[in-house]
PDB file of all heavy atoms in Angstrom:
ATOM      1  N   LYS A 273      -2.498  15.912 -13.509  1.00  0.00           N
ATOM      2  CA  LYS A 273      -3.767  16.025 -12.978  1.00  0.00           C
ATOM      3  C   LYS A 273      -4.349  14.687 -12.582  1.00  0.00           C
ATOM      4  O   LYS A 273      -4.011  13.696 -12.998  1.00  0.00           O
ATOM      5  CB  LYS A 273      -4.811  16.638 -14.046  1.00  0.00           C
ATOM      6  CG  LYS A 273      -6.137  16.825 -13.588  1.00  0.00           C
ATOM      7  CD  LYS A 273      -7.099  17.346 -14.736  1.00  0.00           C
ATOM      8  CE  LYS A 273      -8.553  17.649 -14.295  1.00  0.00           C
ATOM      9  NZ  LYS A 273      -9.288  18.154 -15.396  1.00  0.00           N
ATOM     10  N   VAL A 274      -5.133  14.850 -11.361  1.00  0.00           N
ATOM     11  CA  VAL A 274      -5.802  13.574 -10.820  1.00  0.00           C
ATOM     12  C   VAL A 274      -7.234  13.926 -10.595  1.00  0.00           C
ATOM     13  O   VAL A 274      -7.567  15.125 -10.038  1.00  0.00           O
ATOM     14  CB  VAL A 274      -5.188  13.148  -9.557  1.00  0.00           C
ATOM     15  CG1 VAL A 274      -5.944  11.936  -9.030  1.00  0.00           C
ATOM     16  CG2 VAL A 274      -3.770  12.809  -9.753  1.00  0.00           C
ATOM     17  N   SER A 275      -8.144  13.189 -11.260  1.00  0.00           N
ATOM     18  CA  SER A 275      -9.581  13.306 -10.981  1.00  0.00           C
ATOM     19  C   SER A 275     -10.175  12.185 -10.309  1.00  0.00           C
ATOM     20  O   SER A 275      -9.758  11.014 -10.561  1.00  0.00           O
ATOM     21  CB  SER A 275     -10.363  13.402 -12.380  1.00  0.00           C
ATOM     22  OG  SER A 275      -9.796  14.437 -13.260  1.00  0.00           O
ATOM     23  N   TYR A 276     -11.041  12.377  -9.431  1.00  0.00           N
ATOM     24  CA  TYR A 276     -11.528  11.328  -8.437  1.00  0.00           C
ATOM     25  C   TYR A 276     -13.139  11.475  -8.381  1.00  0.00           C
ATOM     26  O   TYR A 276     -13.749  12.428  -8.196  1.00  0.00           O
ATOM     27  CB  TYR A 276     -11.003  11.730  -7.076  1.00  0.00           C
ATOM     28  CG  TYR A 276     -11.491  10.666  -6.069  1.00  0.00           C
ATOM     29  CD1 TYR A 276     -10.925   9.384  -5.795  1.00  0.00           C
ATOM     30  CD2 TYR A 276     -12.618  10.817  -5.237  1.00  0.00           C
ATOM     31  CE1 TYR A 276     -11.377   8.439  -4.966  1.00  0.00           C
ATOM     32  CE2 TYR A 276     -13.044   9.918  -4.369  1.00  0.00           C
ATOM     33  CZ  TYR A 276     -12.346   8.719  -4.204  1.00  0.00           C
ATOM     34  OH  TYR A 276     -12.797   7.805  -3.282  1.00  0.00           O
ATOM     35  N   ALA A 277     -13.823  10.286  -8.710  1.00  0.00           N
ATOM     36  CA  ALA A 277     -15.285  10.342  -8.839  1.00  0.00           C
ATOM     37  C   ALA A 277     -15.887  10.067  -7.389  1.00  0.00           C
ATOM     38  O   ALA A 277     -15.546   9.128  -6.747  1.00  0.00           O
ATOM     39  CB  ALA A 277     -15.687   9.160  -9.709  1.00  0.00           C
ATOM     40  N   VAL A 278     -16.657  11.071  -6.970  1.00  0.00           N
ATOM     41  CA  VAL A 278     -17.351  11.033  -5.656  1.00  0.00           C
ATOM     42  C   VAL A 278     -18.748  10.453  -5.875  1.00  0.00           C
ATOM     43  O   VAL A 278     -19.534  10.205  -4.872  1.00  0.00           O
ATOM     44  CB  VAL A 278     -17.384  12.330  -4.944  1.00  0.00           C
ATOM     45  CG1 VAL A 278     -16.103  12.819  -4.566  1.00  0.00           C
ATOM     46  CG2 VAL A 278     -18.175  13.413  -5.936  1.00  0.00           C
ATOM     47  N   THR A 279     -19.184  10.043  -7.197  1.00  0.00           N
ATOM     48  CA  THR A 279     -20.405   9.324  -7.496  1.00  0.00           C
ATOM     49  C   THR A 279     -19.935   8.205  -8.293  1.00  0.00           C
ATOM     50  O   THR A 279     -18.812   7.967  -8.674  1.00  0.00           O
ATOM     51  CB  THR A 279     -21.438  10.252  -8.150  1.00  0.00           C
ATOM     52  OG1 THR A 279     -20.767  10.556  -9.510  1.00  0.00           O
ATOM     53  CG2 THR A 279     -21.647  11.519  -7.407  1.00  0.00           C
ATOM     54  N   THR A 280     -20.890   7.336  -8.742  1.00  0.00           N
ATOM     55  CA  THR A 280     -20.678   6.311  -9.686  1.00  0.00           C
ATOM     56  C   THR A 280     -20.156   7.024 -11.034  1.00  0.00           C
ATOM     57  O   THR A 280     -20.520   8.132 -11.275  1.00  0.00           O
ATOM     58  CB  THR A 280     -21.947   5.433 -10.008  1.00  0.00           C
ATOM     59  OG1 THR A 280     -22.958   6.291 -10.355  1.00  0.00           O
ATOM     60  CG2 THR A 280     -22.303   4.684  -8.846  1.00  0.00           C
ATOM     61  N   LEU A 281     -19.400   6.308 -11.802  1.00  0.00           N
ATOM     62  CA  LEU A 281     -18.730   6.762 -12.858  1.00  0.00           C
ATOM     63  C   LEU A 281     -19.392   6.489 -14.251  1.00  0.00           C
ATOM     64  O   LEU A 281     -19.265   5.330 -14.699  1.00  0.00           O
ATOM     65  CB  LEU A 281     -17.169   6.271 -12.869  1.00  0.00           C
ATOM     66  CG  LEU A 281     -16.319   6.832 -14.017  1.00  0.00           C
ATOM     67  CD1 LEU A 281     -15.938   8.284 -13.750  1.00  0.00           C
ATOM     68  CD2 LEU A 281     -15.055   5.990 -14.332  1.00  0.00           C
ATOM     69  N   PHE A 282     -20.041   7.443 -14.868  1.00  0.00           N
ATOM     70  CA  PHE A 282     -20.564   7.315 -16.237  1.00  0.00           C
ATOM     71  C   PHE A 282     -21.434   6.121 -16.260  1.00  0.00           C
ATOM     72  O   PHE A 282     -21.373   5.383 -17.294  1.00  0.00           O
ATOM     73  CB  PHE A 282     -19.414   7.285 -17.207  1.00  0.00           C
ATOM     74  CG  PHE A 282     -18.449   8.475 -17.207  1.00  0.00           C
ATOM     75  CD1 PHE A 282     -16.990   8.274 -17.237  1.00  0.00           C
ATOM     76  CD2 PHE A 282     -18.997   9.679 -16.932  1.00  0.00           C
ATOM     77  CE1 PHE A 282     -16.253   9.334 -17.004  1.00  0.00           C
ATOM     78  CE2 PHE A 282     -18.201  10.918 -16.885  1.00  0.00           C
ATOM     79  CZ  PHE A 282     -16.742  10.698 -16.998  1.00  0.00           C
ATOM     80  N   GLY A 283     -22.234   5.869 -15.386  1.00  0.00           N
ATOM     81  CA  GLY A 283     -23.274   4.803 -15.465  1.00  0.00           C
ATOM     82  C   GLY A 283     -22.805   3.420 -14.978  1.00  0.00           C
ATOM     83  O   GLY A 283     -23.547   2.354 -15.069  1.00  0.00           O
ATOM     84  N   ASN A 284     -21.506   3.255 -14.602  1.00  0.00           N
ATOM     85  CA  ASN A 284     -21.061   1.919 -14.197  1.00  0.00           C
ATOM     86  C   ASN A 284     -21.447   1.759 -12.736  1.00  0.00           C
ATOM     87  O   ASN A 284     -21.034   2.456 -11.710  1.00  0.00           O
ATOM     88  CB  ASN A 284     -19.605   2.001 -14.238  1.00  0.00           C
ATOM     89  CG  ASN A 284     -19.026   1.845 -15.713  1.00  0.00           C
ATOM     90  OD1 ASN A 284     -19.509   0.992 -16.364  1.00  0.00           O
ATOM     91  ND2 ASN A 284     -18.248   2.748 -16.137  1.00  0.00           N
ATOM     92  N   ALA A 285     -22.244   0.783 -12.354  1.00  0.00           N
ATOM     93  CA  ALA A 285     -22.661   0.495 -11.024  1.00  0.00           C
ATOM     94  C   ALA A 285     -21.558   0.318 -10.140  1.00  0.00           C
ATOM     95  O   ALA A 285     -20.511  -0.241 -10.457  1.00  0.00           O
ATOM     96  CB  ALA A 285     -23.659  -0.648 -11.059  1.00  0.00           C
ATOM     97  N   ASN A 286     -21.756   0.688  -8.814  1.00  0.00           N
ATOM     98  CA  ASN A 286     -20.716   0.340  -7.770  1.00  0.00           C
ATOM     99  C   ASN A 286     -19.364   0.941  -8.018  1.00  0.00           C
ATOM    100  O   ASN A 286     -18.356   0.402  -7.546  1.00  0.00           O
ATOM    101  CB  ASN A 286     -20.600  -1.024  -7.392  1.00  0.00           C
ATOM    102  CG  ASN A 286     -21.994  -1.672  -6.988  1.00  0.00           C
ATOM    103  OD1 ASN A 286     -22.785  -1.026  -6.484  1.00  0.00           O
ATOM    104  ND2 ASN A 286     -22.147  -2.964  -7.339  1.00  0.00           N
ATOM    105  N   SER A 287     -19.324   2.036  -8.815  1.00  0.00           N
ATOM    106  CA  SER A 287     -17.945   2.562  -9.268  1.00  0.00           C
ATOM    107  C   SER A 287     -17.475   3.773  -8.552  1.00  0.00           C
ATOM    108  O   SER A 287     -16.559   4.447  -8.987  1.00  0.00           O
ATOM    109  CB  SER A 287     -17.949   2.744 -10.716  1.00  0.00           C
ATOM    110  OG  SER A 287     -18.927   3.733 -11.153  1.00  0.00           O
ATOM    111  N   THR A 288     -18.162   4.271  -7.423  1.00  0.00           N
ATOM    112  CA  THR A 288     -17.742   5.402  -6.799  1.00  0.00           C
ATOM    113  C   THR A 288     -16.325   5.193  -6.221  1.00  0.00           C
ATOM    114  O   THR A 288     -15.995   4.005  -5.831  1.00  0.00           O
ATOM    115  CB  THR A 288     -18.685   5.702  -5.471  1.00  0.00           C
ATOM    116  OG1 THR A 288     -19.958   5.908  -6.028  1.00  0.00           O
ATOM    117  CG2 THR A 288     -18.224   6.794  -4.785  1.00  0.00           C
ATOM    118  N   GLY A 289     -15.516   6.141  -6.311  1.00  0.00           N
ATOM    119  CA  GLY A 289     -14.081   6.038  -5.891  1.00  0.00           C
ATOM    120  C   GLY A 289     -13.187   5.817  -7.121  1.00  0.00           C
ATOM    121  O   GLY A 289     -11.865   5.647  -6.942  1.00  0.00           O
ATOM    122  N   SER A 290     -13.679   5.698  -8.327  1.00  0.00           N
ATOM    123  CA  SER A 290     -12.951   5.591  -9.509  1.00  0.00           C
ATOM    124  C   SER A 290     -11.988   6.901  -9.727  1.00  0.00           C
ATOM    125  O   SER A 290     -12.370   7.911  -9.185  1.00  0.00           O
ATOM    126  CB  SER A 290     -13.693   5.394 -10.672  1.00  0.00           C
ATOM    127  OG  SER A 290     -14.461   4.256 -10.649  1.00  0.00           O
ATOM    128  N   TYR A 291     -10.888   6.764 -10.370  1.00  0.00           N
ATOM    129  CA  TYR A 291      -9.959   7.909 -10.402  1.00  0.00           C
ATOM    130  C   TYR A 291      -9.220   7.827 -11.836  1.00  0.00           C
ATOM    131  O   TYR A 291      -9.194   6.797 -12.522  1.00  0.00           O
ATOM    132  CB  TYR A 291      -8.982   8.043  -9.340  1.00  0.00           C
ATOM    133  CG  TYR A 291      -8.182   6.775  -9.133  1.00  0.00           C
ATOM    134  CD1 TYR A 291      -6.997   6.415  -9.865  1.00  0.00           C
ATOM    135  CD2 TYR A 291      -8.501   5.745  -8.124  1.00  0.00           C
ATOM    136  CE1 TYR A 291      -6.138   5.387  -9.593  1.00  0.00           C
ATOM    137  CE2 TYR A 291      -7.794   4.704  -7.846  1.00  0.00           C
ATOM    138  CZ  TYR A 291      -6.635   4.498  -8.683  1.00  0.00           C
ATOM    139  OH  TYR A 291      -5.884   3.281  -8.447  1.00  0.00           O
ATOM    140  N   TYR A 292      -8.713   8.958 -12.297  1.00  0.00           N
ATOM    141  CA  TYR A 292      -8.023   9.222 -13.510  1.00  0.00           C
ATOM    142  C   TYR A 292      -6.904  10.115 -13.440  1.00  0.00           C
ATOM    143  O   TYR A 292      -7.134  11.314 -13.416  1.00  0.00           O
ATOM    144  CB  TYR A 292      -9.063   9.754 -14.593  1.00  0.00           C
ATOM    145  CG  TYR A 292      -8.491   9.839 -15.936  1.00  0.00           C
ATOM    146  CD1 TYR A 292      -8.315   8.773 -16.804  1.00  0.00           C
ATOM    147  CD2 TYR A 292      -8.131  11.133 -16.495  1.00  0.00           C
ATOM    148  CE1 TYR A 292      -7.854   8.909 -18.042  1.00  0.00           C
ATOM    149  CE2 TYR A 292      -7.590  11.235 -17.813  1.00  0.00           C
ATOM    150  CZ  TYR A 292      -7.524  10.135 -18.543  1.00  0.00           C
ATOM    151  OH  TYR A 292      -6.932  10.260 -19.793  1.00  0.00           O
ATOM    152  N   PRO A 293      -5.662   9.563 -13.298  1.00  0.00           N
ATOM    153  CA  PRO A 293      -4.523  10.481 -13.428  1.00  0.00           C
ATOM    154  C   PRO A 293      -4.085  10.612 -14.812  1.00  0.00           C
ATOM    155  O   PRO A 293      -4.070   9.670 -15.569  1.00  0.00           O
ATOM    156  CB  PRO A 293      -3.414   9.627 -12.621  1.00  0.00           C
ATOM    157  CG  PRO A 293      -3.860   8.314 -12.697  1.00  0.00           C
ATOM    158  CD  PRO A 293      -5.284   8.327 -12.828  1.00  0.00           C
ATOM    159  N   ASP A 294      -3.597  11.880 -15.198  1.00  0.00           N
ATOM    160  CA  ASP A 294      -3.176  12.044 -16.604  1.00  0.00           C
ATOM    161  C   ASP A 294      -2.093  13.118 -16.618  1.00  0.00           C
ATOM    162  O   ASP A 294      -1.976  13.974 -15.784  1.00  0.00           O
ATOM    163  CB  ASP A 294      -4.357  12.398 -17.547  1.00  0.00           C
ATOM    164  CG  ASP A 294      -4.970  13.607 -17.206  1.00  0.00           C
ATOM    165  OD1 ASP A 294      -5.391  13.855 -16.107  1.00  0.00           O
ATOM    166  OD2 ASP A 294      -5.057  14.506 -18.085  1.00  0.00           O
ATOM    167  N   LEU A 295      -1.379  13.116 -17.707  1.00  0.00           N
ATOM    168  CA  LEU A 295      -0.328  13.993 -17.919  1.00  0.00           C
ATOM    169  C   LEU A 295      -0.462  14.476 -19.520  1.00  0.00           C
ATOM    170  O   LEU A 295      -0.623  13.739 -20.374  1.00  0.00           O
ATOM    171  CB  LEU A 295       1.076  13.343 -17.873  1.00  0.00           C
ATOM    172  CG  LEU A 295       2.351  14.172 -18.190  1.00  0.00           C
ATOM    173  CD1 LEU A 295       2.452  15.310 -17.313  1.00  0.00           C
ATOM    174  CD2 LEU A 295       3.563  13.294 -18.175  1.00  0.00           C
ATOM    175  N   THR A 296      -0.423  15.815 -19.610  1.00  0.00           N
ATOM    176  CA  THR A 296      -0.465  16.445 -20.941  1.00  0.00           C
ATOM    177  C   THR A 296       0.742  17.359 -21.174  1.00  0.00           C
ATOM    178  O   THR A 296       1.089  18.113 -20.285  1.00  0.00           O
ATOM    179  CB  THR A 296      -1.735  17.331 -21.044  1.00  0.00           C
ATOM    180  OG1 THR A 296      -2.791  16.430 -21.019  1.00  0.00           O
ATOM    181  CG2 THR A 296      -1.713  17.972 -22.490  1.00  0.00           C
ATOM    182  N   LEU A 297       1.371  17.222 -22.291  1.00  0.00           N
ATOM    183  CA  LEU A 297       2.456  18.024 -22.607  1.00  0.00           C
ATOM    184  C   LEU A 297       2.231  18.802 -24.028  1.00  0.00           C
ATOM    185  O   LEU A 297       1.640  18.135 -24.952  1.00  0.00           O
ATOM    186  CB  LEU A 297       3.712  17.272 -22.906  1.00  0.00           C
ATOM    187  CG  LEU A 297       4.299  16.506 -21.558  1.00  0.00           C
ATOM    188  CD1 LEU A 297       5.453  15.647 -21.899  1.00  0.00           C
ATOM    189  CD2 LEU A 297       4.700  17.531 -20.523  1.00  0.00           C
ATOM    190  N   ASN A 298       2.684  19.973 -24.134  1.00  0.00           N
ATOM    191  CA  ASN A 298       2.503  20.799 -25.434  1.00  0.00           C
ATOM    192  C   ASN A 298       3.882  21.424 -25.517  1.00  0.00           C
ATOM    193  O   ASN A 298       4.570  21.984 -24.701  1.00  0.00           O
ATOM    194  CB  ASN A 298       1.434  21.849 -25.220  1.00  0.00           C
ATOM    195  CG  ASN A 298       0.120  21.351 -24.839  1.00  0.00           C
ATOM    196  OD1 ASN A 298      -0.362  20.531 -25.457  1.00  0.00           O
ATOM    197  ND2 ASN A 298      -0.391  21.819 -23.809  1.00  0.00           N
ATOM    198  N   TYR A 299       4.340  21.215 -26.998  1.00  0.00           N
ATOM    199  CA  TYR A 299       5.621  21.857 -27.231  1.00  0.00           C
ATOM    200  C   TYR A 299       5.466  22.946 -28.541  1.00  0.00           C
ATOM    201  O   TYR A 299       5.051  22.444 -29.551  1.00  0.00           O
ATOM    202  CB  TYR A 299       6.609  20.720 -27.774  1.00  0.00           C
ATOM    203  CG  TYR A 299       7.905  21.320 -28.257  1.00  0.00           C
ATOM    204  CD1 TYR A 299       8.876  21.920 -27.416  1.00  0.00           C
ATOM    205  CD2 TYR A 299       8.198  21.219 -29.610  1.00  0.00           C
ATOM    206  CE1 TYR A 299      10.072  22.395 -27.987  1.00  0.00           C
ATOM    207  CE2 TYR A 299       9.339  21.695 -30.220  1.00  0.00           C
ATOM    208  CZ  TYR A 299      10.211  22.357 -29.287  1.00  0.00           C
ATOM    209  OH  TYR A 299      11.370  22.871 -29.852  1.00  0.00           O
ATOM    210  N   ASP A 300       5.730  24.150 -28.214  1.00  0.00           N
ATOM    211  CA  ASP A 300       5.685  25.124 -29.167  1.00  0.00           C
ATOM    212  C   ASP A 300       6.814  24.981 -30.201  1.00  0.00           C
ATOM    213  O   ASP A 300       7.995  25.275 -29.766  1.00  0.00           O
ATOM    214  CB  ASP A 300       5.675  26.555 -28.618  1.00  0.00           C
ATOM    215  CG  ASP A 300       5.565  27.711 -29.579  1.00  0.00           C
ATOM    216  OD1 ASP A 300       5.416  27.473 -30.725  1.00  0.00           O
ATOM    217  OD2 ASP A 300       5.383  28.874 -29.080  1.00  0.00           O
ATOM    218  N   THR A 301       6.562  24.520 -31.404  1.00  0.00           N
ATOM    219  CA  THR A 301       7.659  24.273 -32.345  1.00  0.00           C
ATOM    220  C   THR A 301       8.254  25.516 -32.848  1.00  0.00           C
ATOM    221  O   THR A 301       9.414  25.560 -33.478  1.00  0.00           O
ATOM    222  CB  THR A 301       7.145  23.570 -33.544  1.00  0.00           C
ATOM    223  OG1 THR A 301       6.232  24.415 -34.336  1.00  0.00           O
ATOM    224  CG2 THR A 301       6.297  22.249 -33.216  1.00  0.00           C
ATOM    225  N   GLY A 302       7.640  26.660 -32.752  1.00  0.00           N
ATOM    226  CA  GLY A 302       8.139  27.925 -33.292  1.00  0.00           C
ATOM    227  C   GLY A 302       8.016  28.128 -34.681  1.00  0.00           C
ATOM    228  O   GLY A 302       8.554  29.038 -35.327  1.00  0.00           O
ATOM    229  N   PHE A 303       7.223  27.048 -35.303  1.00  0.00           N
ATOM    230  CA  PHE A 303       7.078  27.095 -36.737  1.00  0.00           C
ATOM    231  C   PHE A 303       5.768  27.247 -37.171  1.00  0.00           C
ATOM    232  O   PHE A 303       4.880  26.430 -36.873  1.00  0.00           O
ATOM    233  CB  PHE A 303       7.870  25.803 -37.420  1.00  0.00           C
ATOM    234  CG  PHE A 303       7.570  25.576 -38.772  1.00  0.00           C
ATOM    235  CD1 PHE A 303       8.195  26.312 -39.735  1.00  0.00           C
ATOM    236  CD2 PHE A 303       6.621  24.667 -39.339  1.00  0.00           C
ATOM    237  CE1 PHE A 303       8.001  26.160 -41.105  1.00  0.00           C
ATOM    238  CE2 PHE A 303       6.320  24.458 -40.710  1.00  0.00           C
ATOM    239  CZ  PHE A 303       6.982  25.228 -41.564  1.00  0.00           C
ATOM    240  N   TRP A 304       5.396  28.409 -37.888  1.00  0.00           N
ATOM    241  CA  TRP A 304       4.126  28.479 -38.543  1.00  0.00           C
ATOM    242  C   TRP A 304       2.922  28.247 -37.481  1.00  0.00           C
ATOM    243  O   TRP A 304       1.789  27.773 -37.817  1.00  0.00           O
ATOM    244  CB  TRP A 304       3.836  27.502 -39.556  1.00  0.00           C
ATOM    245  CG  TRP A 304       2.895  27.920 -40.565  1.00  0.00           C
ATOM    246  CD1 TRP A 304       2.716  29.183 -41.228  1.00  0.00           C
ATOM    247  CD2 TRP A 304       1.806  27.085 -41.191  1.00  0.00           C
ATOM    248  NE1 TRP A 304       1.742  29.056 -42.154  1.00  0.00           N
ATOM    249  CE2 TRP A 304       1.151  27.839 -42.033  1.00  0.00           C
ATOM    250  CE3 TRP A 304       1.541  25.687 -40.989  1.00  0.00           C
ATOM    251  CZ2 TRP A 304       0.108  27.321 -42.858  1.00  0.00           C
ATOM    252  CZ3 TRP A 304       0.460  25.292 -41.753  1.00  0.00           C
ATOM    253  CH2 TRP A 304      -0.248  26.075 -42.699  1.00  0.00           C
ATOM    254  N   GLY A 305       3.162  28.624 -36.213  1.00  0.00           N
ATOM    255  CA  GLY A 305       2.037  28.588 -35.259  1.00  0.00           C
ATOM    256  C   GLY A 305       1.565  27.236 -34.817  1.00  0.00           C
ATOM    257  O   GLY A 305       0.538  26.911 -34.438  1.00  0.00           O
ATOM    258  N   ILE A 306       2.563  26.280 -35.000  1.00  0.00           N
ATOM    259  CA  ILE A 306       2.233  24.812 -34.772  1.00  0.00           C
ATOM    260  C   ILE A 306       2.695  24.352 -33.327  1.00  0.00           C
ATOM    261  O   ILE A 306       3.838  24.632 -32.880  1.00  0.00           O
ATOM    262  CB  ILE A 306       2.778  23.999 -35.825  1.00  0.00           C
ATOM    263  CG1 ILE A 306       2.114  24.228 -37.109  1.00  0.00           C
ATOM    264  CG2 ILE A 306       2.520  22.376 -35.432  1.00  0.00           C
ATOM    265  CD1 ILE A 306       2.658  23.355 -38.280  1.00  0.00           C
ATOM    266  N   THR A 307       1.903  23.702 -32.642  1.00  0.00           N
ATOM    267  CA  THR A 307       2.195  23.190 -31.317  1.00  0.00           C
ATOM    268  C   THR A 307       1.984  21.670 -31.284  1.00  0.00           C
ATOM    269  O   THR A 307       0.955  21.184 -31.811  1.00  0.00           O
ATOM    270  CB  THR A 307       1.390  23.773 -30.174  1.00  0.00           C
ATOM    271  OG1 THR A 307       1.617  25.182 -30.070  1.00  0.00           O
ATOM    272  CG2 THR A 307       1.787  23.169 -28.787  1.00  0.00           C
ATOM    273  N   ALA A 308       3.018  20.960 -30.818  1.00  0.00           N
ATOM    274  CA  ALA A 308       2.902  19.520 -30.789  1.00  0.00           C
ATOM    275  C   ALA A 308       2.298  19.143 -29.474  1.00  0.00           C
ATOM    276  O   ALA A 308       2.670  19.629 -28.319  1.00  0.00           O
ATOM    277  CB  ALA A 308       4.228  18.822 -30.890  1.00  0.00           C
ATOM    278  N   ASN A 309       1.343  18.238 -29.385  1.00  0.00           N
ATOM    279  CA  ASN A 309       0.737  17.866 -28.213  1.00  0.00           C
ATOM    280  C   ASN A 309       0.771  16.359 -27.888  1.00  0.00           C
ATOM    281  O   ASN A 309       0.795  15.480 -28.813  1.00  0.00           O
ATOM    282  CB  ASN A 309      -0.822  18.088 -28.435  1.00  0.00           C
ATOM    283  CG  ASN A 309      -1.066  19.412 -29.060  1.00  0.00           C
ATOM    284  OD1 ASN A 309      -1.737  19.563 -30.059  1.00  0.00           O
ATOM    285  ND2 ASN A 309      -0.658  20.558 -28.432  1.00  0.00           N
ATOM    286  N   GLY A 310       0.947  15.951 -26.644  1.00  0.00           N
ATOM    287  CA  GLY A 310       0.987  14.552 -26.175  1.00  0.00           C
ATOM    288  C   GLY A 310       0.189  14.566 -24.828  1.00  0.00           C
ATOM    289  O   GLY A 310       0.192  15.329 -24.132  1.00  0.00           O
ATOM    290  N   HIS A 311      -0.307  13.274 -24.766  1.00  0.00           N
ATOM    291  CA  HIS A 311      -1.179  12.991 -23.558  1.00  0.00           C
ATOM    292  C   HIS A 311      -1.128  11.468 -23.138  1.00  0.00           C
ATOM    293  O   HIS A 311      -1.223  10.670 -24.094  1.00  0.00           O
ATOM    294  CB  HIS A 311      -2.675  13.464 -23.789  1.00  0.00           C
ATOM    295  CG  HIS A 311      -3.649  12.908 -22.790  1.00  0.00           C
ATOM    296  ND1 HIS A 311      -3.948  13.502 -21.746  1.00  0.00           N
ATOM    297  CD2 HIS A 311      -4.305  11.750 -22.839  1.00  0.00           C
ATOM    298  CE1 HIS A 311      -4.830  12.846 -20.918  1.00  0.00           C
ATOM    299  NE2 HIS A 311      -5.084  11.731 -21.676  1.00  0.00           N
ATOM    300  N   VAL A 312      -1.114  11.283 -21.932  1.00  0.00           N
ATOM    301  CA  VAL A 312      -1.275   9.827 -21.386  1.00  0.00           C
ATOM    302  C   VAL A 312      -2.085   9.737 -20.235  1.00  0.00           C
ATOM    303  O   VAL A 312      -1.899  10.764 -19.353  1.00  0.00           O
ATOM    304  CB  VAL A 312       0.104   9.177 -21.246  1.00  0.00           C
ATOM    305  CG1 VAL A 312       0.778   9.844 -20.240  1.00  0.00           C
ATOM    306  CG2 VAL A 312      -0.047   7.704 -20.987  1.00  0.00           C
ATOM    307  N   GLY A 313      -2.971   8.799 -19.963  1.00  0.00           N
ATOM    308  CA  GLY A 313      -3.726   8.805 -18.811  1.00  0.00           C
ATOM    309  C   GLY A 313      -4.107   7.369 -18.547  1.00  0.00           C
ATOM    310  O   GLY A 313      -3.916   6.386 -19.216  1.00  0.00           O
ATOM    311  N   TYR A 314      -4.752   7.095 -17.284  1.00  0.00           N
ATOM    312  CA  TYR A 314      -5.182   5.782 -16.793  1.00  0.00           C
ATOM    313  C   TYR A 314      -6.507   5.897 -16.145  1.00  0.00           C
ATOM    314  O   TYR A 314      -6.534   6.592 -15.003  1.00  0.00           O
ATOM    315  CB  TYR A 314      -4.224   5.161 -15.926  1.00  0.00           C
ATOM    316  CG  TYR A 314      -4.617   3.790 -15.511  1.00  0.00           C
ATOM    317  CD1 TYR A 314      -4.479   2.736 -16.345  1.00  0.00           C
ATOM    318  CD2 TYR A 314      -5.008   3.469 -14.208  1.00  0.00           C
ATOM    319  CE1 TYR A 314      -4.921   1.485 -16.011  1.00  0.00           C
ATOM    320  CE2 TYR A 314      -5.477   2.350 -13.709  1.00  0.00           C
ATOM    321  CZ  TYR A 314      -5.388   1.232 -14.789  1.00  0.00           C
ATOM    322  OH  TYR A 314      -5.786   0.008 -14.244  1.00  0.00           O
TER     323      TYR A 314
END
């Protein structure tokens, strides 16, 4: 996913145009309804 701010970002002045690419992975272990989750972003 990629998110792009069309306004200032969370109160930071002059920050319009900030962006956040990220990747999320989920792995169904098949054991006891447990899923492993991983995420990285910038």
Side-chain angles (χ1 to χ4, degrees):
K273 181 180 179 183
V274 176
S275 302
Y276 180 86
V278 296
T279 65
T280 53
L281 183 76
F282 306 133
N284 292 305
N286 299 334
S287 58
T288 300
S290 300
Y291 54 84
Y292 182 76
D294 67 303
L295 174 67
T296 294
L297 296 173
N298 304 300
Y299 174 73
D300 183 355
T301 66
F303 174 73
W304 205 47
I306 293 177
T307 299
N309 317 118
H311 165 89
V312 63
Y314 180 75

